[in-house]
Amino acid sequence: MKRLAFVFTQPPHTTSSGREGLDALLAASAFSEDIQVFFVGDGVFQLLPDQKPAEILCRDYVATFGVMSLYDIEEVFICSESLEERGLLGFESWIIDVQVRTAAQIRQNLEQRDVVLTF
């Protein structure tokens, strides 16, 4: 069985990347039980609460990240350096449970994956 990694690097609602990545992630969970999810760079903004995409005429797909646990996707990591660069270090009210990891730890995890998909 392939060990998959999904890496979210783009902010929400600027492109379709986040929505497509989430759709691919949920679909892949039917074929693999070993999935890790990483939020790095501007991808950390995907997990901020109280987003109002309707105000810019976008679909609110971000709330769907909350169903990952129903798909047995529980290894979710967020980059501490990305948080610090964006003034979010210490923020704890993410829309899902995440584990904070350094960029070095995330690189180490990614090296152990068979397939890395970046969105």
Side-chain angles (χ1 to χ4, degrees):
M1 182 176 302
K2 296 279 186 184
R3 294 173 297 178
L4 304 176
F6 284 79
V7 183
F8 290 86
T9 63
Q10 300 297 312
H13 316 302
T14 56
T15 68
S16 61
S17 182
R19 185 180 68 246
E20 291 170 358
L22 179 57
D23 290 344
L25 170 63
L26 297 178
S29 71
F31 302 100
S32 177
E33 294 177 6
D34 192 355
I35 297 176
Q36 292 182 337
V37 184
F38 303 89
F39 293 88
V40 300
D42 286 341
V44 300
F45 293 122
Q46 297 277 352
L47 301 181
L48 287 174
D50 302 322
Q51 296 183 34
K52 296 177 176 57
E55 291 182 9
I56 57 170
L57 305 177
C58 288
R59 182 177 146 230
D60 186 12
Y61 71 90
V62 172
T64 309
F65 280 111
V67 303
M68 288 194 311
S69 62
L70 298 175
Y71 288 78
D72 295 324
I73 302 168
E74 298 172 355
E75 291 188 82
V76 183
F77 307 97
I78 195 164
C79 179
S80 61
E81 285 91 334
S82 298
L83 294 176
E84 185 173 8
E85 291 168 0
R86 287 151 185 83
L88 295 172
L89 196 59
F91 187 81
E92 297 181 10
S93 297
W94 304 107
I95 60 170
I96 58 173
D97 291 331
V98 294
Q99 300 174 49
V100 178
R101 295 288 188 264
T102 66
Q105 290 170 319
I106 288 174
R107 275 191 298 278
Q108 185 178 15
N109 279 50
L110 290 174
E111 289 172 1
Q112 298 172 356
R113 302 280 100 190
D114 297 315
V115 177
V116 177
L117 302 162
T118 304
F119 295 92

